[in-house]
Amino acid sequence: MKATIDRFLNSFAYQIMISLATILVWTMGWETYGLPAALGLMFILFVFRKDTMATIPLFLNALFMISHTGWTFADVPFYIYLTPVAIILGMTIHVIRYRVSLFKGAMLPGSLVMLAAVGLSTFNAGETLSVMYGFYAFVGFLYVIVYLFYRNTIQGDHVKYLIRLMFLLGLVISAEVLIFYLRVDDVIYAIENKQINLGWGISNYIATYLILFIPMTFYYAKTTKMPYLWIIVGIFEGIMLLFTVSRGGIIAFAGTFVLCVVYLMVQKKWWHTALHFLSAFGIIALVAWIGKDFFITLYARLANLLLDDTGRIPIWLDAIAKFKEHPLFGNGLFARLDEAGDYRMFHNTILHTAATFGLVGLVALGMQVFVQFKWILQRRTPEAVFLAIALLGAHMHGMVDNIYYMPQFMIVIVIILAVCENAYRKPLALPAQA
């Protein structure tokens, strides 16, 4: 019985079932039932399984189940508060039951330096004894806990399992974007006014996830005997990214797309790959011609892709000025506040780190990013290359949007690293996936 359960939890069918359930829950607005169900299953797996890899499909799919977030503070559903409680409680029971040591991990030194940077930045932060300041500091601590937990509880090589999951998540998000536009009364108006909102995320957030997940589709174009089919799927996902109308996301994806295409040509007849892409683009061009009004509107909206400022430059100049004020320790978590006194970020990972945590934070950031790519590229395999391309794309998007330090993206990043570390630390270990 246990062997049957293990095979199912390590199978592609298990991942497909969860992803289909995610689309259904999101489409029907059933997150009141879907999210608690996912949390309940995660909790059970935390408690009764030593290998925690099977919780990750539930964890990541749960991010895309919520179709409505227009709540006031007073009417936030109970299951939203239940989410961190269920996850932390399940992790705690797992650690106690299986006597897990959490003090191993390649990113631990960089994380400790970053936590030190957060503490040292309070010297220049002014008011720090507030509930909100403590909350944001605690969120940063949770990143480290999630990373260390999965780093020390995943058993064996699950890299291909992770790639399958990321591929499915790319399809889930693309399907939700398509459904969103099928539902709106006026697609052209929605594009012109950048109205896309999937509940769990708006334009830039959606684009970041697609940048992370689309390279996995091209991984299958590289490693299977039917590259043409996968290229069509990848281009479809790229078009859905275009319809997020996220200019920063489109620029970052353009870079990752080029890298994917170049790597697809490695060790193959380049003209075969070129022919596949030309054929795929021909099919997409036909679809675009049928819906040309939508694509013309999208083109008009993005025509000034590199020329229109959108207010980023003053924000970046403010970050540089803040860094000059306190270059060593920075100005603290709340270095940038809006007119209402609410927390804001600087839309650039490096400048945000410099302004908030100073040189100490920049050192910590450098340590973390170095370790991420070092471990992901530990092996020169297609899996490693496409994961590295995905991560590079996310970091590229982080140069114009808020990516790093955002919990929904940090969870994906630390899970990728945790899976790779566990797969590569014992090179002769047999793979655990089906």
Side-chain angles (χ1 to χ4, degrees), residues 203-209 211 241 244 246-253 256 312 347-349 391-404 409:
S203 170
N204 296 335
Y205 295 174
I206 303 165
T208 302
Y209 283 122
I211 290 167
L241 189 149
T244 66
S246 168
R247 295 184 297 177
I250 292 168
I251 294 171
F253 176 69
T256 59
R312 293 289 195 273
H347 294 274
N348 180 291
T349 302
L391 190 60
L392 178 62
H395 284 303
M396 288 168 59
H397 194 193
M399 295 300 99
V400 293
D401 277 311
N402 304 323
I403 308 301
Y404 216 70
F409 306 127

PDB file of all heavy atoms in Angstrom, residues 203-209 211 241 244 246-253 256 312 347-349 391-404 409:
ATOM      1  N   SER A 203      -0.775  42.260 -13.464  1.00  0.00           N
ATOM      2  CA  SER A 203       0.072  42.195 -14.658  1.00  0.00           C
ATOM      3  C   SER A 203       1.505  41.726 -14.394  1.00  0.00           C
ATOM      4  O   SER A 203       1.939  40.695 -14.910  1.00  0.00           O
ATOM      5  CB  SER A 203       0.089  43.580 -15.315  1.00  0.00           C
ATOM      6  OG  SER A 203       1.050  43.638 -16.337  1.00  0.00           O
ATOM      7  N   ASN A 204       2.252  42.472 -13.597  1.00  0.00           N
ATOM      8  CA  ASN A 204       3.669  42.174 -13.411  1.00  0.00           C
ATOM      9  C   ASN A 204       3.892  40.854 -12.693  1.00  0.00           C
ATOM     10  O   ASN A 204       4.848  40.125 -12.981  1.00  0.00           O
ATOM     11  CB  ASN A 204       4.348  43.308 -12.637  1.00  0.00           C
ATOM     12  CG  ASN A 204       4.333  44.612 -13.406  1.00  0.00           C
ATOM     13  OD1 ASN A 204       4.259  44.623 -14.634  1.00  0.00           O
ATOM     14  ND2 ASN A 204       4.385  45.730 -12.701  1.00  0.00           N
ATOM     15  N   TYR A 205       3.026  40.534 -11.728  1.00  0.00           N
ATOM     16  CA  TYR A 205       3.165  39.276 -10.991  1.00  0.00           C
ATOM     17  C   TYR A 205       2.958  38.083 -11.921  1.00  0.00           C
ATOM     18  O   TYR A 205       3.701  37.095 -11.866  1.00  0.00           O
ATOM     19  CB  TYR A 205       2.148  39.207  -9.853  1.00  0.00           C
ATOM     20  CG  TYR A 205       2.332  40.234  -8.759  1.00  0.00           C
ATOM     21  CD1 TYR A 205       1.407  40.353  -7.732  1.00  0.00           C
ATOM     22  CD2 TYR A 205       3.430  41.087  -8.758  1.00  0.00           C
ATOM     23  CE1 TYR A 205       1.566  41.287  -6.723  1.00  0.00           C
ATOM     24  CE2 TYR A 205       3.595  42.030  -7.758  1.00  0.00           C
ATOM     25  CZ  TYR A 205       2.659  42.128  -6.741  1.00  0.00           C
ATOM     26  OH  TYR A 205       2.819  43.050  -5.755  1.00  0.00           O
ATOM     27  N   ILE A 206       1.933  38.172 -12.762  1.00  0.00           N
ATOM     28  CA  ILE A 206       1.635  37.084 -13.703  1.00  0.00           C
ATOM     29  C   ILE A 206       2.828  36.874 -14.633  1.00  0.00           C
ATOM     30  O   ILE A 206       3.251  35.741 -14.893  1.00  0.00           O
ATOM     31  CB  ILE A 206       0.375  37.402 -14.519  1.00  0.00           C
ATOM     32  CG1 ILE A 206      -0.814  37.650 -13.593  1.00  0.00           C
ATOM     33  CG2 ILE A 206       0.063  36.271 -15.491  1.00  0.00           C
ATOM     34  CD1 ILE A 206      -2.001  38.315 -14.283  1.00  0.00           C
ATOM     35  N   ALA A 207       3.384  37.977 -15.134  1.00  0.00           N
ATOM     36  CA  ALA A 207       4.513  37.899 -16.064  1.00  0.00           C
ATOM     37  C   ALA A 207       5.717  37.222 -15.411  1.00  0.00           C
ATOM     38  O   ALA A 207       6.398  36.405 -16.049  1.00  0.00           O
ATOM     39  CB  ALA A 207       4.889  39.301 -16.543  1.00  0.00           C
ATOM     40  N   THR A 208       5.990  37.536 -14.158  1.00  0.00           N
ATOM     41  CA  THR A 208       7.149  36.938 -13.489  1.00  0.00           C
ATOM     42  C   THR A 208       7.021  35.425 -13.415  1.00  0.00           C
ATOM     43  O   THR A 208       7.978  34.688 -13.678  1.00  0.00           O
ATOM     44  CB  THR A 208       7.304  37.513 -12.075  1.00  0.00           C
ATOM     45  OG1 THR A 208       7.456  38.935 -12.148  1.00  0.00           O
ATOM     46  CG2 THR A 208       8.536  36.930 -11.388  1.00  0.00           C
ATOM     47  N   TYR A 209       5.847  34.947 -13.032  1.00  0.00           N
ATOM     48  CA  TYR A 209       5.650  33.502 -12.967  1.00  0.00           C
ATOM     49  C   TYR A 209       5.836  32.857 -14.337  1.00  0.00           C
ATOM     50  O   TYR A 209       6.452  31.785 -14.449  1.00  0.00           O
ATOM     51  CB  TYR A 209       4.257  33.183 -12.431  1.00  0.00           C
ATOM     52  CG  TYR A 209       4.113  33.343 -10.940  1.00  0.00           C
ATOM     53  CD1 TYR A 209       3.170  34.209 -10.405  1.00  0.00           C
ATOM     54  CD2 TYR A 209       4.918  32.620 -10.059  1.00  0.00           C
ATOM     55  CE1 TYR A 209       3.023  34.354  -9.028  1.00  0.00           C
ATOM     56  CE2 TYR A 209       4.784  32.753  -8.688  1.00  0.00           C
ATOM     57  CZ  TYR A 209       3.823  33.621  -8.172  1.00  0.00           C
ATOM     58  OH  TYR A 209       3.695  33.754  -6.819  1.00  0.00           O
ATOM     59  N   ILE A 211       7.656  33.917 -16.788  1.00  0.00           N
ATOM     60  CA  ILE A 211       9.091  33.935 -17.091  1.00  0.00           C
ATOM     61  C   ILE A 211       9.789  32.752 -16.426  1.00  0.00           C
ATOM     62  O   ILE A 211      10.672  32.112 -17.010  1.00  0.00           O
ATOM     63  CB  ILE A 211       9.723  35.267 -16.625  1.00  0.00           C
ATOM     64  CG1 ILE A 211       9.234  36.420 -17.511  1.00  0.00           C
ATOM     65  CG2 ILE A 211      11.248  35.196 -16.664  1.00  0.00           C
ATOM     66  CD1 ILE A 211       9.555  37.785 -16.942  1.00  0.00           C
ATOM     67  N   LEU A 241       1.814  35.796 -22.072  1.00  0.00           N
ATOM     68  CA  LEU A 241       2.630  36.762 -21.330  1.00  0.00           C
ATOM     69  C   LEU A 241       2.505  38.149 -21.957  1.00  0.00           C
ATOM     70  O   LEU A 241       2.429  39.160 -21.241  1.00  0.00           O
ATOM     71  CB  LEU A 241       4.081  36.303 -21.297  1.00  0.00           C
ATOM     72  CG  LEU A 241       5.023  37.096 -20.377  1.00  0.00           C
ATOM     73  CD1 LEU A 241       6.115  36.191 -19.836  1.00  0.00           C
ATOM     74  CD2 LEU A 241       5.661  38.283 -21.080  1.00  0.00           C
ATOM     75  N   THR A 244      -0.354  40.028 -20.682  1.00  0.00           N
ATOM     76  CA  THR A 244      -0.294  40.617 -19.339  1.00  0.00           C
ATOM     77  C   THR A 244      -0.019  42.115 -19.436  1.00  0.00           C
ATOM     78  O   THR A 244      -0.218  42.846 -18.471  1.00  0.00           O
ATOM     79  CB  THR A 244       0.808  39.965 -18.486  1.00  0.00           C
ATOM     80  OG1 THR A 244       2.099  40.268 -19.032  1.00  0.00           O
ATOM     81  CG2 THR A 244       0.620  38.458 -18.393  1.00  0.00           C
ATOM     82  N   SER A 246       2.703  43.552 -19.369  1.00  0.00           N
ATOM     83  CA  SER A 246       3.797  43.915 -18.468  1.00  0.00           C
ATOM     84  C   SER A 246       5.044  44.183 -19.302  1.00  0.00           C
ATOM     85  O   SER A 246       5.668  43.256 -19.825  1.00  0.00           O
ATOM     86  CB  SER A 246       4.065  42.784 -17.466  1.00  0.00           C
ATOM     87  OG  SER A 246       5.272  42.993 -16.768  1.00  0.00           O
ATOM     88  N   ARG A 247       5.416  45.438 -19.431  1.00  0.00           N
ATOM     89  CA  ARG A 247       6.533  45.778 -20.298  1.00  0.00           C
ATOM     90  C   ARG A 247       7.859  45.239 -19.765  1.00  0.00           C
ATOM     91  O   ARG A 247       8.673  44.713 -20.520  1.00  0.00           O
ATOM     92  CB  ARG A 247       6.581  47.288 -20.499  1.00  0.00           C
ATOM     93  CG  ARG A 247       5.367  47.788 -21.252  1.00  0.00           C
ATOM     94  CD  ARG A 247       5.425  49.259 -21.561  1.00  0.00           C
ATOM     95  NE  ARG A 247       5.439  50.069 -20.354  1.00  0.00           N
ATOM     96  CZ  ARG A 247       5.546  51.394 -20.351  1.00  0.00           C
ATOM     97  NH1 ARG A 247       5.658  52.036 -21.489  1.00  0.00           N
ATOM     98  NH2 ARG A 247       5.523  52.062 -19.230  1.00  0.00           N
ATOM     99  N   GLY A 248       8.063  45.341 -18.456  1.00  0.00           N
ATOM    100  CA  GLY A 248       9.272  44.779 -17.871  1.00  0.00           C
ATOM    101  C   GLY A 248       9.320  43.276 -18.048  1.00  0.00           C
ATOM    102  O   GLY A 248      10.374  42.701 -18.339  1.00  0.00           O
ATOM    103  N   GLY A 249       8.172  42.629 -17.882  1.00  0.00           N
ATOM    104  CA  GLY A 249       8.105  41.193 -18.049  1.00  0.00           C
ATOM    105  C   GLY A 249       8.391  40.771 -19.478  1.00  0.00           C
ATOM    106  O   GLY A 249       9.069  39.765 -19.727  1.00  0.00           O
ATOM    107  N   ILE A 250       7.897  41.541 -20.441  1.00  0.00           N
ATOM    108  CA  ILE A 250       8.112  41.219 -21.857  1.00  0.00           C
ATOM    109  C   ILE A 250       9.586  41.356 -22.219  1.00  0.00           C
ATOM    110  O   ILE A 250      10.153  40.524 -22.938  1.00  0.00           O
ATOM    111  CB  ILE A 250       7.237  42.125 -22.746  1.00  0.00           C
ATOM    112  CG1 ILE A 250       5.753  41.758 -22.548  1.00  0.00           C
ATOM    113  CG2 ILE A 250       7.627  42.003 -24.213  1.00  0.00           C
ATOM    114  CD1 ILE A 250       4.789  42.754 -23.141  1.00  0.00           C
ATOM    115  N   ILE A 251      10.228  42.391 -21.710  1.00  0.00           N
ATOM    116  CA  ILE A 251      11.658  42.584 -21.984  1.00  0.00           C
ATOM    117  C   ILE A 251      12.465  41.430 -21.400  1.00  0.00           C
ATOM    118  O   ILE A 251      13.350  40.853 -22.054  1.00  0.00           O
ATOM    119  CB  ILE A 251      12.147  43.922 -21.413  1.00  0.00           C
ATOM    120  CG1 ILE A 251      11.492  45.084 -22.148  1.00  0.00           C
ATOM    121  CG2 ILE A 251      13.671  44.029 -21.523  1.00  0.00           C
ATOM    122  CD1 ILE A 251      11.759  46.438 -21.516  1.00  0.00           C
ATOM    123  N   ALA A 252      12.165  41.062 -20.148  1.00  0.00           N
ATOM    124  CA  ALA A 252      12.883  39.965 -19.497  1.00  0.00           C
ATOM    125  C   ALA A 252      12.632  38.649 -20.235  1.00  0.00           C
ATOM    126  O   ALA A 252      13.549  37.845 -20.424  1.00  0.00           O
ATOM    127  CB  ALA A 252      12.462  39.854 -18.035  1.00  0.00           C
ATOM    128  N   PHE A 253      11.391  38.429 -20.650  1.00  0.00           N
ATOM    129  CA  PHE A 253      11.085  37.193 -21.361  1.00  0.00           C
ATOM    130  C   PHE A 253      11.786  37.140 -22.709  1.00  0.00           C
ATOM    131  O   PHE A 253      12.199  36.061 -23.163  1.00  0.00           O
ATOM    132  CB  PHE A 253       9.574  37.045 -21.569  1.00  0.00           C
ATOM    133  CG  PHE A 253       9.212  35.840 -22.392  1.00  0.00           C
ATOM    134  CD1 PHE A 253       9.384  34.563 -21.880  1.00  0.00           C
ATOM    135  CD2 PHE A 253       8.732  35.985 -23.686  1.00  0.00           C
ATOM    136  CE1 PHE A 253       9.074  33.449 -22.648  1.00  0.00           C
ATOM    137  CE2 PHE A 253       8.418  34.878 -24.454  1.00  0.00           C
ATOM    138  CZ  PHE A 253       8.586  33.602 -23.937  1.00  0.00           C
ATOM    139  N   THR A 256      15.115  35.653 -22.067  1.00  0.00           N
ATOM    140  CA  THR A 256      15.079  34.220 -21.767  1.00  0.00           C
ATOM    141  C   THR A 256      14.675  33.420 -23.001  1.00  0.00           C
ATOM    142  O   THR A 256      15.161  32.305 -23.206  1.00  0.00           O
ATOM    143  CB  THR A 256      14.103  33.920 -20.613  1.00  0.00           C
ATOM    144  OG1 THR A 256      12.788  34.377 -20.966  1.00  0.00           O
ATOM    145  CG2 THR A 256      14.533  34.611 -19.344  1.00  0.00           C
ATOM    146  N   ARG A 312       9.608  54.973 -13.125  1.00  0.00           N
ATOM    147  CA  ARG A 312      10.652  54.183 -12.478  1.00  0.00           C
ATOM    148  C   ARG A 312      11.894  55.019 -12.148  1.00  0.00           C
ATOM    149  O   ARG A 312      12.492  54.866 -11.079  1.00  0.00           O
ATOM    150  CB  ARG A 312      11.072  53.012 -13.378  1.00  0.00           C
ATOM    151  CG  ARG A 312      10.026  51.943 -13.607  1.00  0.00           C
ATOM    152  CD  ARG A 312       9.793  51.105 -12.364  1.00  0.00           C
ATOM    153  NE  ARG A 312       9.070  49.887 -12.686  1.00  0.00           N
ATOM    154  CZ  ARG A 312       7.760  49.765 -12.748  1.00  0.00           C
ATOM    155  NH1 ARG A 312       7.009  50.846 -12.548  1.00  0.00           N
ATOM    156  NH2 ARG A 312       7.187  48.617 -13.015  1.00  0.00           N
ATOM    157  N   HIS A 347      11.405  48.900  -7.030  1.00  0.00           N
ATOM    158  CA  HIS A 347      11.300  48.360  -8.391  1.00  0.00           C
ATOM    159  C   HIS A 347      12.658  48.040  -9.010  1.00  0.00           C
ATOM    160  O   HIS A 347      12.842  48.165 -10.222  1.00  0.00           O
ATOM    161  CB  HIS A 347      10.530  49.333  -9.298  1.00  0.00           C
ATOM    162  CG  HIS A 347       9.092  49.485  -8.907  1.00  0.00           C
ATOM    163  ND1 HIS A 347       8.102  48.635  -9.343  1.00  0.00           N
ATOM    164  CD2 HIS A 347       8.476  50.381  -8.086  1.00  0.00           C
ATOM    165  CE1 HIS A 347       6.946  49.002  -8.834  1.00  0.00           C
ATOM    166  NE2 HIS A 347       7.141  50.055  -8.060  1.00  0.00           N
ATOM    167  N   ASN A 348      13.576  47.602  -8.207  1.00  0.00           N
ATOM    168  CA  ASN A 348      14.883  47.151  -8.685  1.00  0.00           C
ATOM    169  C   ASN A 348      15.552  46.428  -7.513  1.00  0.00           C
ATOM    170  O   ASN A 348      15.778  47.032  -6.457  1.00  0.00           O
ATOM    171  CB  ASN A 348      15.735  48.332  -9.160  1.00  0.00           C
ATOM    172  CG  ASN A 348      17.097  47.900  -9.668  1.00  0.00           C
ATOM    173  OD1 ASN A 348      17.948  47.455  -8.907  1.00  0.00           O
ATOM    174  ND2 ASN A 348      17.312  48.031 -10.964  1.00  0.00           N
ATOM    175  N   THR A 349      15.873  45.168  -7.704  1.00  0.00           N
ATOM    176  CA  THR A 349      16.399  44.357  -6.602  1.00  0.00           C
ATOM    177  C   THR A 349      17.661  44.953  -5.998  1.00  0.00           C
ATOM    178  O   THR A 349      17.788  45.067  -4.768  1.00  0.00           O
ATOM    179  CB  THR A 349      16.701  42.927  -7.096  1.00  0.00           C
ATOM    180  OG1 THR A 349      15.508  42.348  -7.622  1.00  0.00           O
ATOM    181  CG2 THR A 349      17.224  42.070  -5.957  1.00  0.00           C
ATOM    182  N   LEU A 391      15.577  31.157 -13.777  1.00  0.00           N
ATOM    183  CA  LEU A 391      15.967  31.996 -12.642  1.00  0.00           C
ATOM    184  C   LEU A 391      16.600  33.302 -13.116  1.00  0.00           C
ATOM    185  O   LEU A 391      16.328  34.377 -12.550  1.00  0.00           O
ATOM    186  CB  LEU A 391      16.946  31.229 -11.752  1.00  0.00           C
ATOM    187  CG  LEU A 391      17.279  31.871 -10.406  1.00  0.00           C
ATOM    188  CD1 LEU A 391      16.027  32.046  -9.559  1.00  0.00           C
ATOM    189  CD2 LEU A 391      18.300  31.026  -9.655  1.00  0.00           C
ATOM    190  N   LEU A 392      17.409  33.223 -14.159  1.00  0.00           N
ATOM    191  CA  LEU A 392      18.017  34.438 -14.716  1.00  0.00           C
ATOM    192  C   LEU A 392      16.938  35.380 -15.216  1.00  0.00           C
ATOM    193  O   LEU A 392      17.012  36.604 -15.001  1.00  0.00           O
ATOM    194  CB  LEU A 392      18.970  34.065 -15.853  1.00  0.00           C
ATOM    195  CG  LEU A 392      19.640  35.241 -16.574  1.00  0.00           C
ATOM    196  CD1 LEU A 392      20.522  36.037 -15.626  1.00  0.00           C
ATOM    197  CD2 LEU A 392      20.464  34.740 -17.770  1.00  0.00           C
ATOM    198  N   GLY A 393      15.910  34.850 -15.878  1.00  0.00           N
ATOM    199  CA  GLY A 393      14.818  35.687 -16.357  1.00  0.00           C
ATOM    200  C   GLY A 393      14.107  36.406 -15.225  1.00  0.00           C
ATOM    201  O   GLY A 393      13.769  37.590 -15.342  1.00  0.00           O
ATOM    202  N   ALA A 394      13.876  35.699 -14.115  1.00  0.00           N
ATOM    203  CA  ALA A 394      13.229  36.328 -12.967  1.00  0.00           C
ATOM    204  C   ALA A 394      14.090  37.448 -12.399  1.00  0.00           C
ATOM    205  O   ALA A 394      13.587  38.527 -12.056  1.00  0.00           O
ATOM    206  CB  ALA A 394      12.946  35.280 -11.891  1.00  0.00           C
ATOM    207  N   HIS A 395      15.399  37.210 -12.307  1.00  0.00           N
ATOM    208  CA  HIS A 395      16.296  38.254 -11.806  1.00  0.00           C
ATOM    209  C   HIS A 395      16.363  39.437 -12.775  1.00  0.00           C
ATOM    210  O   HIS A 395      16.464  40.597 -12.334  1.00  0.00           O
ATOM    211  CB  HIS A 395      17.692  37.681 -11.570  1.00  0.00           C
ATOM    212  CG  HIS A 395      17.816  36.855 -10.325  1.00  0.00           C
ATOM    213  ND1 HIS A 395      17.504  37.339  -9.074  1.00  0.00           N
ATOM    214  CD2 HIS A 395      18.202  35.566 -10.131  1.00  0.00           C
ATOM    215  CE1 HIS A 395      17.714  36.406  -8.166  1.00  0.00           C
ATOM    216  NE2 HIS A 395      18.133  35.315  -8.780  1.00  0.00           N
ATOM    217  N   MET A 396      16.311  39.171 -14.060  1.00  0.00           N
ATOM    218  CA  MET A 396      16.282  40.262 -15.045  1.00  0.00           C
ATOM    219  C   MET A 396      15.026  41.108 -14.864  1.00  0.00           C
ATOM    220  O   MET A 396      15.084  42.345 -14.900  1.00  0.00           O
ATOM    221  CB  MET A 396      16.335  39.687 -16.463  1.00  0.00           C
ATOM    222  CG  MET A 396      17.678  39.109 -16.864  1.00  0.00           C
ATOM    223  SD  MET A 396      17.596  38.129 -18.392  1.00  0.00           S
ATOM    224  CE  MET A 396      16.983  39.340 -19.543  1.00  0.00           C
ATOM    225  N   HIS A 397      13.888  40.452 -14.670  1.00  0.00           N
ATOM    226  CA  HIS A 397      12.652  41.199 -14.422  1.00  0.00           C
ATOM    227  C   HIS A 397      12.760  42.004 -13.135  1.00  0.00           C
ATOM    228  O   HIS A 397      12.161  43.077 -12.995  1.00  0.00           O
ATOM    229  CB  HIS A 397      11.469  40.222 -14.352  1.00  0.00           C
ATOM    230  CG  HIS A 397      10.144  40.899 -14.427  1.00  0.00           C
ATOM    231  ND1 HIS A 397       8.961  40.263 -14.133  1.00  0.00           N
ATOM    232  CD2 HIS A 397       9.789  42.176 -14.755  1.00  0.00           C
ATOM    233  CE1 HIS A 397       7.948  41.103 -14.274  1.00  0.00           C
ATOM    234  NE2 HIS A 397       8.433  42.277 -14.658  1.00  0.00           N
ATOM    235  N   GLY A 398      13.546  41.487 -12.182  1.00  0.00           N
ATOM    236  CA  GLY A 398      13.747  42.194 -10.920  1.00  0.00           C
ATOM    237  C   GLY A 398      14.496  43.506 -11.045  1.00  0.00           C
ATOM    238  O   GLY A 398      14.563  44.272 -10.082  1.00  0.00           O
ATOM    239  N   MET A 399      15.037  43.785 -12.227  1.00  0.00           N
ATOM    240  CA  MET A 399      15.707  45.063 -12.433  1.00  0.00           C
ATOM    241  C   MET A 399      14.715  46.199 -12.679  1.00  0.00           C
ATOM    242  O   MET A 399      15.078  47.379 -12.603  1.00  0.00           O
ATOM    243  CB  MET A 399      16.685  44.978 -13.613  1.00  0.00           C
ATOM    244  CG  MET A 399      17.852  44.023 -13.390  1.00  0.00           C
ATOM    245  SD  MET A 399      18.907  44.454 -11.964  1.00  0.00           S
ATOM    246  CE  MET A 399      18.260  43.337 -10.708  1.00  0.00           C
ATOM    247  N   VAL A 400      13.443  45.870 -12.971  1.00  0.00           N
ATOM    248  CA  VAL A 400      12.451  46.913 -13.216  1.00  0.00           C
ATOM    249  C   VAL A 400      11.171  46.711 -12.401  1.00  0.00           C
ATOM    250  O   VAL A 400      10.288  47.567 -12.414  1.00  0.00           O
ATOM    251  CB  VAL A 400      12.077  46.993 -14.722  1.00  0.00           C
ATOM    252  CG1 VAL A 400      13.260  47.480 -15.533  1.00  0.00           C
ATOM    253  CG2 VAL A 400      11.583  45.654 -15.238  1.00  0.00           C
ATOM    254  N   ASP A 401      11.060  45.589 -11.704  1.00  0.00           N
ATOM    255  CA  ASP A 401       9.866  45.327 -10.903  1.00  0.00           C
ATOM    256  C   ASP A 401      10.255  44.693  -9.574  1.00  0.00           C
ATOM    257  O   ASP A 401      11.418  44.324  -9.363  1.00  0.00           O
ATOM    258  CB  ASP A 401       8.888  44.415 -11.656  1.00  0.00           C
ATOM    259  CG  ASP A 401       8.007  45.203 -12.621  1.00  0.00           C
ATOM    260  OD1 ASP A 401       7.433  46.218 -12.200  1.00  0.00           O
ATOM    261  OD2 ASP A 401       7.920  44.818 -13.799  1.00  0.00           O
ATOM    262  N   ASN A 402       9.265  44.545  -8.712  1.00  0.00           N
ATOM    263  CA  ASN A 402       9.508  43.973  -7.390  1.00  0.00           C
ATOM    264  C   ASN A 402       9.403  42.455  -7.464  1.00  0.00           C
ATOM    265  O   ASN A 402       8.305  41.905  -7.534  1.00  0.00           O
ATOM    266  CB  ASN A 402       8.488  44.517  -6.386  1.00  0.00           C
ATOM    267  CG  ASN A 402       8.501  46.031  -6.321  1.00  0.00           C
ATOM    268  OD1 ASN A 402       9.558  46.651  -6.411  1.00  0.00           O
ATOM    269  ND2 ASN A 402       7.339  46.638  -6.177  1.00  0.00           N
ATOM    270  N   ILE A 403      10.555  41.781  -7.446  1.00  0.00           N
ATOM    271  CA  ILE A 403      10.588  40.324  -7.550  1.00  0.00           C
ATOM    272  C   ILE A 403      11.209  39.718  -6.297  1.00  0.00           C
ATOM    273  O   ILE A 403      10.545  39.030  -5.528  1.00  0.00           O
ATOM    274  CB  ILE A 403      11.373  39.863  -8.801  1.00  0.00           C
ATOM    275  CG1 ILE A 403      10.853  40.566 -10.048  1.00  0.00           C
ATOM    276  CG2 ILE A 403      11.318  38.346  -8.924  1.00  0.00           C
ATOM    277  CD1 ILE A 403       9.394  40.340 -10.331  1.00  0.00           C
ATOM    278  N   TYR A 404      12.478  39.997  -6.102  1.00  0.00           N
ATOM    279  CA  TYR A 404      13.172  39.480  -4.927  1.00  0.00           C
ATOM    280  C   TYR A 404      12.580  40.117  -3.670  1.00  0.00           C
ATOM    281  O   TYR A 404      12.174  41.278  -3.686  1.00  0.00           O
ATOM    282  CB  TYR A 404      14.662  39.797  -5.033  1.00  0.00           C
ATOM    283  CG  TYR A 404      15.561  38.709  -4.485  1.00  0.00           C
ATOM    284  CD1 TYR A 404      15.685  37.492  -5.161  1.00  0.00           C
ATOM    285  CD2 TYR A 404      16.274  38.879  -3.308  1.00  0.00           C
ATOM    286  CE1 TYR A 404      16.515  36.492  -4.668  1.00  0.00           C
ATOM    287  CE2 TYR A 404      17.099  37.890  -2.814  1.00  0.00           C
ATOM    288  CZ  TYR A 404      17.222  36.691  -3.496  1.00  0.00           C
ATOM    289  OH  TYR A 404      18.025  35.693  -3.005  1.00  0.00           O
ATOM    290  N   PHE A 409       7.276  34.920  -4.894  1.00  0.00           N
ATOM    291  CA  PHE A 409       8.355  34.553  -5.802  1.00  0.00           C
ATOM    292  C   PHE A 409       9.521  33.905  -5.055  1.00  0.00           C
ATOM    293  O   PHE A 409      10.162  32.988  -5.573  1.00  0.00           O
ATOM    294  CB  PHE A 409       8.853  35.784  -6.560  1.00  0.00           C
ATOM    295  CG  PHE A 409       7.764  36.518  -7.279  1.00  0.00           C
ATOM    296  CD1 PHE A 409       7.560  37.876  -7.091  1.00  0.00           C
ATOM    297  CD2 PHE A 409       6.913  35.854  -8.142  1.00  0.00           C
ATOM    298  CE1 PHE A 409       6.547  38.549  -7.741  1.00  0.00           C
ATOM    299  CE2 PHE A 409       5.892  36.518  -8.805  1.00  0.00           C
ATOM    300  CZ  PHE A 409       5.705  37.865  -8.599  1.00  0.00           C
TER     301      PHE A 409
END
